[in-house]
Structure formats: structure tokens, C-alpha cells
């Protein structure tokens, strides 16, 4: 079985999972956070090199303040846990998104985590926090425009490769497979540039219930896809 080099996941359904169990939404987020660790380990053992998860979007700030604050508390705690996990599993952790929109202590913990895991040679784990793909591209364009203004970039030299170098994911390969849990079938402003040729897998399973076996199902389906990147396969080339 061919394992995708890079898998991106939209972690959806935590709140609904908790509601089904008669628990508050925050309980679902906490259990979903624990599941991230399990899937990271499972993915790496399968041979996945990069895993990127959507933890908190730029749109999530519009949720009730109580839930947002609970998510920020959970994020703070997760940064501590992830530091230990990264050391144990030699996992390299990077955070993508607009870090300026986060509290100072969270930014400091992110910086500590990224520095501590920078030389690790295990799973490359990216966490999207305060991330929105349109916001990412706007921020990239601002940086590029400033470099053009300062004479560092020739406008005639701008191409897709140069543009990508300004994105949060500039040194990370594009995802081969996107997984979204909970039955929703939309991208929700996630990695819009990077997902141009990615295979999509949607499942009704809520994120806290997403297991190693569910991950294997997604990878199996990925293996049945014919990835042509706009071209044609050999059989079609000979079919006149």
C-alpha cells in the first residue's frame, strides 16, 4: 500500500460528539486533542512524513467567548503536552497561521516548542492555529509587495514558486490527502493554495472517534485514486 507523504486533517465534530454523550462542547475538544496524539503516532508508524491539522481557524473567534477561552486554555495545555511528545517521539512541530493574533504566553510556548523540536527527525507535525487560507495569502502578498517596493523582488520574476515561498507552509510539501471528519464536505478556508491537487476523503466519523483503522480506510481509498495532475494515464495515451 502506498502511503501519502503528507496528510492534512480538518478535525471536525468534537462538539457534536460531546453533545451526543450529554457533555459540554469543551469536553469534546479535550478528547479531540487527545486523539490528535494517537493519530500522530499511528500515521508516523504507517510511514506518513507530514501531518497537518486544523486546530483553530481565524473564523473560530466568532464562537461564544466561553468556548473560545476554553479552547485557548486547552491550547496552552496542549503546548506543554506536545513538547513532551515531540521529545519522546522525535517529532518536529511547527505552527502555521497568524501568531500575532494570539496571546503573548501562547506565542512564547509555540516558539519554545518549535525551537525544541527543530532538529527532530521524526514526524513533521504542523498545527494550524488562528489560521485561514485567505488570510495566509493576504499576509503573503503584503510581504511580497513590501519586497517589491524595496527592490528585493522583480515583479516579472513572480511565479507560483516565488509566491509559495511567502506562505506559512513554504518549506512543506503540499498534502497528498485531505481528511475531513464528521460528514461535512467543505474546505472551510483551509490550505486552499496547497490543496490544488490533493485527494479528498470525507467521513461521517466524528473526530474523537477517528481511529487508526479509520485512517487506514482513508489511505486505502487514496490508493484507489488515479492521480494525474491534469495529465492522462498511459492507457488513455494509447487510446486513440
Amino acid at each position: 500500500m502506498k502511503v501519502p507523504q503528507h496528510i492534512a486533517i480538518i478535525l471536525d465534530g468534537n462538539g457534536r460528539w460531546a453533545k451526543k454523550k450529554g457533555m459540554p462542547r469543551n469536553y469534546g475538544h479535550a478528547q479531540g486533542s487527545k486523539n490528535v496524539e494517537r493519530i500522530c503516532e499511528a500515521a508516523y508508524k504507517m510511514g506518513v512524513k507530514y501531518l497537518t491539522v486544523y486546530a483553530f481557524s481565524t473564523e473560530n473567534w466568532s464562537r461564544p467567548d466561553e468556548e473560545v477561552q476554553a479552547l485557548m486554555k486547552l491550547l496552552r495545555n496542549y503546548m506543554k503536552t506536545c513538547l513532551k511528545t515531540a521529545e519522546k517521539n522525535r517529532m518536529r512541530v511547527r505552527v502555521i497561521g497568524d501568531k500575532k493574533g494570539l496571546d503573548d504566553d501562547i506565542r512564547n510556548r509555540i516558539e519554545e516548542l518549535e525551537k525544541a523540536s527543530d532538529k527532530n527527525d521524526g514526524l513533521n507535525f504542523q498545527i494550524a492555529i488562528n489560521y485561514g487560507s485567505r488570510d495566509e495569502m493576504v499576509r503573503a502578498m503584503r510581504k511580497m509587495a513590501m519586497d517589491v517596493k524595496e527592490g528585493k523582488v522583480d515583479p516579472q520574476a513572480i511565479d507560483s514558486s516565488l509566491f509559495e515561498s511567502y506562505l506559512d507552509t513554504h518549506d512543506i510539501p503540499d498534502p497528498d490527502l485531505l481528511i475531513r471528519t464528521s460528514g461535512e464536505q467543505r474546505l472551510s478556508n483551509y490550505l486552499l493554495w496547497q490543496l490544488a491537487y490533493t485527494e479528498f476523503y470525507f467521513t461521517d466519523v466524528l473526530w474523537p472517534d477517528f481511529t487508526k483503522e479509520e485512517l487506514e480506510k482513508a489511505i486505502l481509498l487514496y490508493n484507489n485514486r488515479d492521480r494525474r495532475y491534469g495529465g492522462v494515464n498511459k492507457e488513455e495515451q494509447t487510446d486513440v
Side-chain angles (χ1 to χ4, degrees):
M1 183 169 67
K2 184 178 180 181
V3 176
Q5 175 182 224
H6 184 178
I7 296 178
I9 307 179
I10 299 177
L11 318 173
D12 202 5
N14 292 324
R16 276 167 281 171
W17 181 86
K19 187 176 180 181
K20 281 186 175 183
K21 296 182 177 297
M23 301 293 286
R25 288 176 57 85
N26 296 337
Y27 176 74
H29 293 308
Q31 295 306 307
S33 175
K34 292 179 181 178
N35 197 37
V36 169
E37 291 188 43
R38 291 191 287 266
I39 294 302
C40 277
E41 184 175 354
Y44 184 59
K45 286 182 177 179
M46 289 179 191
V48 176
K49 295 180 179 178
Y50 294 83
L51 182 68
T52 304
V53 300
Y54 207 3
F56 190 88
S57 75
T58 50
E59 291 76 26
N60 285 156
W61 295 107
S62 64
R63 293 186 176 187
D65 185 63
E66 181 181 353
E67 182 174 352
V68 170
Q69 294 307 314
L71 285 168
M72 290 298 107
K73 182 179 179 180
L74 179 62
L75 181 58
R76 289 179 171 92
N77 293 333
Y78 183 73
M79 289 294 109
K80 293 181 182 179
T81 303
C82 197
L83 186 61
K84 297 177 182 178
T85 304
E87 182 180 358
K88 176 184 176 183
N89 299 330
R90 297 200 55 76
M91 184 169 68
R92 183 182 181 185
V93 185
R94 282 170 282 189
V95 172
I96 62 173
D98 186 4
K99 299 172 188 174
K100 293 179 181 178
L102 301 171
D103 289 344
D104 290 345
D105 67 309
I106 295 179
R107 290 204 305 271
N108 290 337
R109 291 185 185 185
I110 289 173
E111 183 178 358
E112 179 186 9
L113 178 57
E114 290 182 330
K115 283 185 177 180
S117 66
D118 184 55
K119 303 301 181 182
N120 289 349
D121 55 6
L123 178 71
N124 289 273
F125 180 45
Q126 294 71 232
I127 312 172
I129 302 174
N130 195 27
Y131 176 88
S133 190
R134 289 180 176 180
D135 174 73
E136 176 190 29
M137 287 189 273
V138 168
R139 286 187 285 108
M141 286 303 300
R142 285 174 182 161
K143 293 176 186 176
M144 188 186 295
M146 186 60 67
D147 284 348
V148 169
K149 183 179 179 181
E150 295 177 357
K152 297 177 182 178
V153 171
D154 178 0
Q156 297 302 316
I158 296 174
D159 58 13
S160 60
S161 295
L162 181 62
F163 179 72
E164 285 176 355
S165 72
Y166 284 86
L167 296 175
D168 297 346
T169 55
H170 57 86
D171 58 348
I172 299 167
D174 291 343
D176 302 293
L177 173 65
L178 168 76
I179 298 171
R180 180 162 189 161
T181 56
S182 87
E184 303 295 350
Q185 298 187 20
R186 54 180 177 270
L187 297 181
S188 296
N189 198 18
Y190 185 47
L191 300 173
L192 301 180
W193 175 277
Q194 297 86 343
L195 295 176
Y197 287 100
T198 300
E199 298 296 329
F200 295 170
Y201 177 82
F202 300 109
T203 175
D204 291 333
V205 175
L206 303 176
W207 173 247
D209 288 331
F210 190 85
T211 61
K212 173 187 175 182
E213 289 70 28
E214 293 297 333
L215 179 60
E216 289 173 343
K217 286 181 185 178
I219 293 176
L220 181 61
L221 184 139
Y222 166 82
N223 274 257
N224 292 329
R225 300 279 178 85
D226 183 13
R227 308 192 76 204
R228 299 190 299 273
Y229 298 96
V232 295
N233 58 36
K234 291 181 180 180
E235 293 179 357
E236 290 174 322
Q237 289 177 12
T238 57
D239 185 14
V240 179

